[in-house]
């Protein structure tokens, strides 16, 4: 045979090579299946996994009635991990959760998304602040952890604590609001387990990703929740369960489309910006929130913790912008985004609350005005009295709380526009 000519195989040799190839292919498919890499998923999960979107309005898939968790009252030998979103307190806490799931279960409370806070936050002070809100849950809280499931911050400490507190044969249930990061927390525990990454669950920024109860055997969490030698006999039938998130109808993001969620929901570390808000002026967070200073000093200082660009203007001008948006005209207020029909359909801003307060320190925050799901505004300044009016879609999803980060006030910028600029 001359050099460069293709080799000719006999029929028997070709058959042997095909059989060998089929054997190798079958072994590879079987190995990938065992590792969980070729799991069959539905079209909705495929879109969420690869494109971070759903093909229909996301609100059709969410659970909004917390009574779906009542089945936990009848469970025995159970540990509950309650997950909340540190960027949405108290909105991401389920009120009177103990009455729903039962107050006898041991509970570990996890505040997720600490990676979204400014780098200079004080962990111990933040933990003490968070404990105030935990008292209203009426739960048998054994421990509180601050974590970032996405960045694996505090996850190993949480895993060690769960391992210490869990009794033999005890199941673990992840419970919380929609989009607080329960599924991502399970994935974080799998990432620190030996061979656990192959069994990760679907997680995305779209609320309602988890539609039903799903369980993973604890033996998949080797090194994280069970010893490196493997699950003991009493733990071989134990599971970690991911429950569907309970969506809050008071959350402002319930009015947003898939595209608007990307603009409003914070997914990376926030950079607080401080501004001056003058008397008879408005601070507007798109069409989702508005604060009017109607009485008090000539100016106060506001520090904004939100992904939405603020816009400052006169109250009369703010009223005009809202009217134009309701008429279907595109304005500087975003979100909402879309055509005229979308803008007309978007809920009208209504008065959510009026609040009078005293400014206690020139450079420390006195109160936080919280817009559920999109962030908060800390108000700073030293003055005897001020009165604000706060607006939101349908007047929902707004509250006032003690300041979460009272010492993060920086030198204020007098810049009054939708552009996020800081003083040089």
């Amino acid at each position: 045979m001359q050099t460069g000519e293709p080799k000719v195989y006999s029929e028997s040799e070709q058959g042997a090579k095909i059989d060998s190839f089929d054997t190798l292919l079958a072994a590879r498919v079987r190995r990938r299946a065992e590792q969980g890499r070729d799991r069959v998923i539905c079209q909705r999960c495929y879109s969420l996994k690869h494109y971070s979107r759903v093909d229909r309005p996301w609100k059709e898939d969410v659970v909004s009635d917390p009574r779906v968790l009542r089945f936990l009252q009848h469970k025995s030998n159970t540990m509950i991990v309650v997950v909340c979103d540190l960027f949405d307190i108290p909105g991401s806490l389920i009120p009177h959760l103990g009455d729903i799931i039962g107050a006898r279960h041991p509970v570990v409370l996890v505040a997720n998304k600490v990676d979204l806070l400014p780098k200079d936050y004080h962990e111990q002070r933040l933990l003490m602040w968070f404990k105030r809100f935990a008292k209203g849950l009426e739960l048998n809280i054994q421990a509180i952890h601050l974590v970032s499931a996405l960045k694996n911050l505090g996850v190993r400490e949480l895993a060690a604590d769960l391992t210490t507190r869990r009794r033999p044969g005890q199941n673990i249930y992840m419970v919380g609001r929609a989009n607080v990061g329960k599924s991502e927390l399970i994935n974080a525990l799998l990432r620190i387990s030996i061979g656990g990454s192959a069994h990760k669950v679907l997680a995305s920024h779209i609320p309602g990703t988890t539609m039903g109860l799903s369980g993973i055997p604890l033996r998949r969490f080797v090194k994280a929740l069970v010893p490196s030698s493997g699950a003991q006999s009493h733990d071989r039938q134990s599971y970690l369960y991911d429950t569907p998130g309970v969506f809050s109808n008071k959350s402002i993001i319930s009015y947003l489309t898939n595209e608007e969620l990307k603009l409003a929901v914070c997914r990376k570390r926030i950079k607080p910006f401080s501004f001056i808000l003058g008397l008879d002026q408005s601070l507007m967070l798109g069409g989702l929130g508005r604060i009017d200073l109607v009485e008090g000093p000539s100016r106060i200082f506001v520090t904004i913790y939100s992904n939405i660009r603020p816009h400052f203007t006169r109250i009369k001008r703010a009223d005009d912008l809202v009217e134009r948006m309701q008429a279907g005209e595109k304005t500087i207020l975003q979100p909402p985004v879309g055509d005229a029909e979308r803008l007309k359909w978007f809920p009208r801003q209504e008065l959510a609350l009026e609040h009078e307060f005293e400014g206690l320190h020139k450079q420390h925050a006195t109160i936080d005005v919280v817009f559920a799901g999109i962030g908060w505004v800390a108000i700073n300044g030293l003055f005897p009295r001020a009165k604000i009016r706060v607006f939101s879609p349908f007047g929902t999803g707004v509250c006032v709380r003690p300041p979460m980060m009272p010492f993060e006030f920086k030198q204020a910028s007098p810049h009054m526009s939708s552009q996020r600029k800081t003083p040089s």
Side-chain angles (χ1 to χ4, degrees), residues 128-387:
M128 294 176 61
W129 175 89
F130 181 61
K131 287 180 179 178
R132 302 181 192 176
F133 295 95
K135 294 178 180 179
L137 297 179
E138 302 173 7
L139 294 170
N140 180 22
I141 298 176
Q142 304 291 309
I144 298 178
H145 289 268
L146 305 178
V147 307
S148 168
L150 190 63
K151 303 292 186 179
N152 270 32
L153 301 176
V155 176
R156 294 184 185 276
E157 292 80 359
L158 171 64
D161 191 32
L162 292 177
T163 303
T164 302
R165 296 179 185 278
R166 196 179 69 86
R167 297 193 300 268
Q170 200 171 42
N171 293 320
I172 301 176
Y173 287 82
M174 293 280 186
V175 173
R177 291 284 191 193
N179 208 34
V180 296
K182 299 185 300 299
S183 299
E184 191 59 51
L185 182 57
I186 293 176
N187 287 338
L189 292 170
L190 286 168
R191 284 195 294 269
I192 64 173
S193 305
I194 299 176
S197 295
H199 307 281
K200 65 180 182 179
V201 297
L202 182 64
S204 79
H205 71 282
I206 297 178
T209 298
T210 303
M211 299 179 64
L213 186 68
S214 59
I216 301 177
L218 278 182
R219 64 179 182 272
R220 302 298 186 191
F221 297 88
V222 174
K223 191 179 178 182
L225 300 178
V226 298
S228 300
S229 57
Q232 304 299 317
S233 58
H234 48 256
D235 284 333
R236 288 173 183 167
Q237 299 300 320
S238 299
Y239 281 77
L240 187 152
Y241 290 97
D242 188 12
T243 63
V246 180
F247 190 76
S248 173
N249 290 324
K250 294 182 179 180
S251 178
I252 295 176
I253 66 174
S254 63
Y255 306 114
L256 304 182
T257 62
N258 300 338
E259 181 183 358
E260 291 163 349
L261 278 176
K262 297 178 181 179
L263 298 176
V265 176
C266 186
R267 290 193 284 172
K268 60 182 180 180
R269 189 180 299 277
I270 197 71
K271 294 181 179 179
F273 288 85
S274 296
F275 297 92
I276 296 171
L277 178 63
L279 186 63
D280 295 327
Q281 287 187 334
S282 292
L283 157 62
M284 309 187 78
L285 297 176
L288 306 184
R290 169 180 165 186
I291 300 176
D292 292 354
L293 179 59
V294 294
E295 296 179 19
S298 59
R299 66 179 188 176
I300 60 176
F301 301 100
V302 292
T303 304
I304 301 170
Y305 300 80
S306 177
N307 201 46
I308 301 175
R309 291 186 173 184
H311 178 64
F312 294 82
T313 187
R314 292 286 180 183
I315 292 179
K316 185 176 180 181
R317 171 68 175 167
D319 292 336
D320 179 59
L321 284 172
V322 172
E323 291 296 331
R324 287 165 53 193
M325 186 181 72
Q326 290 297 314
E329 182 181 343
K330 288 186 178 182
T331 66
I332 199 171
L333 305 180
Q334 292 185 356
V337 296
D339 56 17
E341 287 301 316
R342 167 60 182 161
L343 299 179
K344 289 179 181 178
W345 176 88
F346 195 77
R348 183 182 182 86
Q349 286 192 9
E350 298 178 5
L351 181 65
L353 61 85
E354 287 187 344
H355 187 69
E356 294 188 20
F357 60 99
E358 176 187 359
L360 301 178
H361 198 283
K362 185 177 180 180
Q363 294 186 346
H364 296 172
T366 301
I367 61 169
D368 285 347
V369 180
V370 183
F371 297 92
I374 63 172
W376 71 94
V377 177
I379 298 182
N380 317 272
L382 182 62
F383 45 83
R385 176 182 172 274
K387 181 179 179 180

